[in-house]
Amino acid sequence: VRAGFLGAFPGDGFAHPIVELAARQLERALPAVFGPHPLGLFWLFKYTDEAPSGIGLHVDGAAVNVNVWLSPDDCCLEGGGLEVFAHVPPAHGASLAAHNREFASAEEECALEAKLSAGPVESVPYRCNRACIFKSDRYHRSEPFVFRAGYAHHRVNLTLLFGDREGAKAHGPAAGRAAVPPARALDGREAPAAGSEASP
């Protein structure tokens, strides 16, 4: 339990075989994106009325990030998607923890938002069973949302992290290009053909 949402991780017992199956299918369908990057960490977040803005600005320490929204479309009244910024923190220097943390103040977060908004940003609208695939160390955040009242209708998000940030650099530019912008929205009814080389 965290401020405004419930989380389930493998260490909590969240290890349903459908997650492993989904990861293997992604790897087969998009080998240029996932090939050198095995599934690492994954989790489920279910938000409450205390967190109408979802997760704030942050980066993840993986190579490829997959976010899947699971609440039915009729539960989402407004917002609920994802904003993915083009800016990527330097590979060296500040630790990842410096870019994935609670901000010390609203002013600090606003200053970073202003810096990031000066460059390109992609907004991926909410849709049930839509997967948003992008390079994990791009800054991203939830789009503020309004969902129907009642716990059963709240926003549920599944996140899968593949590979690691340093491993992606080590594989060189050819591997890195596979997860570079634009972010890709992949709906459940629009799965790519096996062997596709499309980038997210």
Side-chain angles (χ1 to χ4, degrees):
V1 179
R2 299 187 182 180
F5 59 91
L6 304 175
F9 294 82
D12 304 318
F14 173 49
H16 197 285
I18 198 171
V19 176
E20 182 73 16
L21 175 62
R24 299 291 82 81
Q25 290 179 335
L26 283 169
E27 291 166 354
R28 286 196 297 270
L30 297 171
V33 175
F34 296 100
H37 309 302
L39 177 64
L41 185 60
F42 54 90
W43 60 81
L44 272 173
F45 282 168
K46 183 161 189 172
Y47 298 84
T48 73
D49 294 333
E50 301 301 316
S53 296
I55 302 296
L57 284 169
H58 69 287
V59 302
D60 293 308
V64 184
N65 187 310
V66 179
N67 271 254
V68 186
W69 298 306
L70 301 178
S71 302
D73 289 332
D74 62 2
C75 294
C76 180
L77 304 179
E78 181 180 327
L82 192 71
E83 295 180 337
V84 185
F85 296 82
H87 181 76
V88 174
H92 306 288
S95 68
L96 177 67
H99 305 287
N100 191 333
R101 60 179 175 82
E102 295 289 336
F103 289 95
S105 65
E107 291 75 15
E108 181 187 14
E109 184 171 9
C110 286
L112 176 59
E113 179 182 0
K115 176 182 176 181
L116 297 177
S117 297
V121 56
E122 297 167 79
S123 296
V124 182
Y126 183 93
R127 181 180 291 178
C128 181
N129 205 31
R130 168 172 284 172
C132 182
I133 305 172
F134 58 96
K135 189 173 181 179
S136 287
D137 55 1
R138 291 178 64 184
Y139 274 101
H140 53 283
R141 67 178 175 189
S142 304
E143 180 186 21
F145 51 80
V146 177
F147 275 63
R148 289 172 57 192
Y151 181 76
H153 305 136
H154 288 179
R155 184 177 185 264
V156 178
N157 180 78
L158 170 65
T159 297
L160 309 174
L161 299 184
F162 292 79
D164 64 82
R165 191 173 191 234
E166 293 306 315
K169 311 299 183 194
H171 278 93
R177 277 197 300 270
V180 178
R184 178 168 184 175
L186 184 66
D187 293 340
R189 296 177 298 277
E190 302 169 358
S196 170
E197 297 298 316
S199 298

